[in-house]
Structures are given as C-alpha cells and as structure tokens.
C-alpha cells in the first residue's frame, strides 16, 4: 500500500522522497519531514487499546504524541478490511 500511496502522491506533484516503515523511522527524521502520510492496519485483536497487535500500536500511542509536528500536514488512513 505504501508504494501505491507514494506513486499517487508523486503523480499529484508532491515530493515523496522517502518511504519508511514506521518501526524503522527515527524520530528526528519524522520531525524533519514537511508532511506525513501514514497508513494503519484496521484489524481488531479484541484489546481495549492498541488493538492491531503490530509495531504501529507502539508508534501511534508512544512515539507520535511526543513528536513535534506543529505546522506539518499529516494524513492517517486505515487500510481497510478484506475477505479472502
């Protein structure tokens, strides 16, 4: 999904110079971006919080609230569910 978002953003004229897995993104690198487009899993493990059971949960609940993103455009989307 990340590659598709990167291609669409580039086609729209945005400078999408980096595609990074959230679990591998350094905080200072994220804060240095002009904007963020972040995709999140949407499955539900039954937990009351941090429900995806992925590294996304750690980033969303522990890292993101402590980042300095003032003035940045941020988009967060759920990738949706599908039936095989």
């Amino acid at each position: 999904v990340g590659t598709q978002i990167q291609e669409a953003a580039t086609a729209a004229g945005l400078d999408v110079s980096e595609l990074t897995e959230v679990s591998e993104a350094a905080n200072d690198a994220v804060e240095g971006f002009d904007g963020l487009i972040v995709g999140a899993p949407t499955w539900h493990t039954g937990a009351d919080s941090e429900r995806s059971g992925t590294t996304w949960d750690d980033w969303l609940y522990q890292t993101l609230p402590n980042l300095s993103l003032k003035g940045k455009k941020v988009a967060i989307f759920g990738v949706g569910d599908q039936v095989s």
Side-chain angles (χ1 to χ4, degrees), residues 1-2 4-5 38-43 76-82:
V1 172
Q4 294 165 325
I5 298 298
V38 201
T42 55
W43 61 79
I76 300 176
F77 65 93
V79 294
D81 298 328
Q82 71 179 30

Side-chain angles (χ1 to χ4, degrees), residues 5-67:
I5 298 298
Q6 184 178 30
E7 290 171 356
T10 300
L14 299 173
D15 175 18
V16 184
S17 57
E18 191 168 334
L19 181 63
T20 304
E21 172 68 34
V22 161
S23 64
E24 299 171 3
N27 293 355
D28 58 339
V30 173
E31 290 176 332
F33 295 142
D34 294 330
L36 300 171
I37 302 173
V38 201
T42 55
W43 61 79
H44 181 18
T45 60
D48 290 334
S49 67
E50 302 180 19
R51 301 186 289 208
S52 79
T54 67
T55 55
W56 166 256
D57 291 335
D58 295 334
W59 192 83
L60 178 65
Y61 293 101
Q62 296 172 21
T63 304
L64 181 61
N66 297 308
L67 294 177

